[in-house]
Amino acid sequence: MLCAERGERRADVWCCYYTNFPLVHLHKKRIASTWNVPVAGSNAFAIAGAHVLFAGGYDKRDSFTLVRLDPDGTSTLIGEFELTGDDGVAVKPLRTIGRGAVLYVLDDAVLYEIDLKRVLPRWGHG
């Protein structure tokens, strides 16, 4: 199970768990919302508003998937991408951690920060 805490005094927790991998929003320890998402086996995620950026997946270990959460419990795939370094070479994440709206991606000797709030305008959202 993947979890991310967000909000005042940790009143909000988001998690994505095995086997169907729904994204679940808990507020004050109660289920507030759930979504079926098009990603299975992600190793981290970041959340900003109604958008989630997932890192990896069973078939896509080095990719990132941007998803919009719809009010009816469904989700919409916005796009997928791979992270590239300043040299233009694809980054091979060794470790990825999500904290709020940010994903931290460690590759060999470089730590990358992907701020979902900065990614959204590039995809025409936010």
Side-chain angles (χ1 to χ4, degrees), residues 14-103:
W14 297 75
C15 55
C16 191
Y17 58 90
Y18 190 74
T19 62
N20 293 329
F21 299 100
L23 181 67
V24 178
H25 172 211
L26 300 170
H27 180 72
K28 295 184 179 179
K29 300 181 182 179
R30 296 189 185 274
I31 295 175
S33 308
T34 63
W35 292 269
N36 292 318
V37 294
V39 179
S42 171
N43 54 52
F45 62 88
I47 298 173
H51 294 87
V52 183
L53 181 60
F54 290 95
Y58 282 140
D59 299 340
K60 305 169 189 175
R61 288 327 263 160
D62 299 334
S63 71
F64 296 85
T65 305
L66 182 59
V67 174
R68 183 185 71 228
L69 303 175
D70 300 319
D72 64 357
T74 61
S75 62
T76 302
L77 175 66
I78 294 173
E80 294 180 345
F81 64 92
E82 286 190 358
L83 181 63
T84 55
D86 292 336
D87 57 3
V89 176
V91 170
K92 300 294 182 191
L94 297 175
R95 178 97 163 119
T96 307
I97 298 171
R99 292 286 181 263
V102 179
L103 280 176

